[in-house]
Amino acid sequence: AQSVTQLDSQVPVFEEAPVELRCNYSSSVSVYLFWYVQYPNQGLQLLLKYLSGSTLVESINGFEAEFNKSQTSFHLRKPSVHISDTAEYFCAVSEGTNAGKSTFGDGTTLTVKP
Amino acid sequence: DTGVSQNPRHKITKRGQNVTFRCDPISEHNRLYWYRQTLGQGPEFLTYFQNEAQLEKSRLLSDRFSAERPKGSFSTLEIQRTEQGDSAMYLCASSSHRSYNEQFFGPGTRLTVL
């Protein structure tokens, strides 16, 4: 069975500061990894994904995440955050089978303060 | 661009009543997933369909829950004899045969059982 642990439930930072949201997973098979963002009372939006290839993946709004197989981690980083980045972030893992279902962490609330 | 849509967005019901939610996936996505998200937690997998076939159900899906996808397009999730513990956000997602692991989520239906 697979599981996801998001190590920080809340991360407060000041605007323009760097941020890292940590995610560790466990799985006995190869995995695909995802970060989703959820704004209040909305569904999940895919932020970025690792399926194969380069272990460093980037989103269009400046976030990046690096797949580290030896440490079973997929931490999310951004060098300079904006107020609009305030949201809940979920890390998810999908096993490399054909099922497609995902297992999610419990989320990290990122609060960006002015 | 029509993404995944869900109706209703909000549902308030009294304990013991039956409720039904609808999900319309992205056109031509043959996989459809249902997840449940309670406050402070990440989404939990409930069930998924490939076309009209229900391929997997989580142990979370008690006998009071039933999901259908009769024509392989939209899906319904019915909860019979609702309980206060059923209060949650119910999320629907769909994916394409080109990449089953890349799921696109709808905005969710928030259920409140009084």
Side-chain angles (χ1 to χ4, degrees):
Chain A
Q2 55 195 9
S3 66
V4 176
T5 301
Q6 291 185 241
L7 296 158
D8 307 292
S9 59
Q10 308 226 5
V11 174
V13 294
F14 286 105
E15 194 173 17
E16 298 183 5
V19 71
E20 179 180 74
L21 308 184
R22 297 179 292 168
C23 172
N24 286 92
Y25 70 92
S26 68
S27 176
S28 57
V29 299
S30 61
V31 296
Y32 302 123
L33 294 156
F34 306 87
W35 276 99
Y36 290 87
V37 59
Q38 186 176 36
Y39 298 99
N41 298 315
Q42 294 187 24
L44 282 79
Q45 300 174 30
L46 181 64
L47 190 59
L48 45 73
K49 60 183 182 283
Y50 169 77
L51 302 180
S52 64
S54 172
T55 57
L56 183 66
V57 291
E58 299 176 351
S59 72
I60 59 173
N61 56 353
F63 283 95
E64 66 177 30
E66 186 161 18
F67 170 52
N68 188 319
K69 187 175 182 180
S70 63
Q71 297 188 4
T72 60
S73 68
F74 190 56
H75 301 333
L76 180 70
R77 294 187 290 264
K78 189 171 185 180
S80 176
V81 294
H82 302 286
I83 298 286
S84 60
D85 293 324
T86 295
E88 183 109 23
Y89 292 79
F90 291 95
C91 180
V93 61
S94 178
E95 290 188 341
T97 62
N98 205 25
K101 63 179 181 178
S102 291
T103 298
F104 288 81
D106 284 337
T108 297
T109 301
L110 174 64
T111 303
V112 181
K113 300 179 287 186
Chain B
D1 174 30
T2 55
V4 178
S5 62
Q6 292 186 246
N7 288 288
R9 293 291 309 274
H10 303 274
K11 178 71 177 178
I12 299 174
T13 191
K14 293 183 179 179
R15 188 175 53 187
Q17 298 294 305
N18 298 344
V19 295
T20 300
F21 310 139
R22 176 177 170 129
C23 171
D24 288 86
I26 293 172
S27 178
E28 298 177 356
H29 277 193
N30 61 347
R31 288 260 176 108
L32 186 149
Y33 305 79
W34 284 100
Y35 291 83
R36 180 173 67 188
Q37 183 180 20
T38 53
L39 202 60
Q41 296 190 340
E44 296 173 295
F45 169 77
L46 293 178
T47 187
Y48 86 97
F49 295 82
Q50 178 164 310
N51 300 315
E52 66 275 8
Q54 188 173 19
L55 296 188
E56 187 173 346
K57 292 193 295 185
S58 163
R59 290 172 297 165
L60 294 174
L61 215 63
S62 76
D63 292 343
R64 296 184 296 106
F65 288 69
S66 62
E68 294 182 340
R69 196 183 182 198
K71 298 183 180 179
S73 56
F74 73 91
S75 174
T76 58
L77 177 68
E78 181 184 17
I79 309 174
Q80 296 182 326
R81 304 181 303 282
T82 52
E83 302 173 356
Q84 288 185 325
D86 296 332
S87 295
M89 176 80 88
Y90 290 85
L91 295 167
C92 176
S94 69
S95 63
S96 161
H97 68 278
R98 284 182 290 275
S99 181
Y100 284 132
N101 292 279
E102 294 190 63
Q103 297 175 25
F104 295 82
F105 281 81
T109 294
R110 181 168 294 285
L111 173 66
T112 302
V113 181
L114 301 176

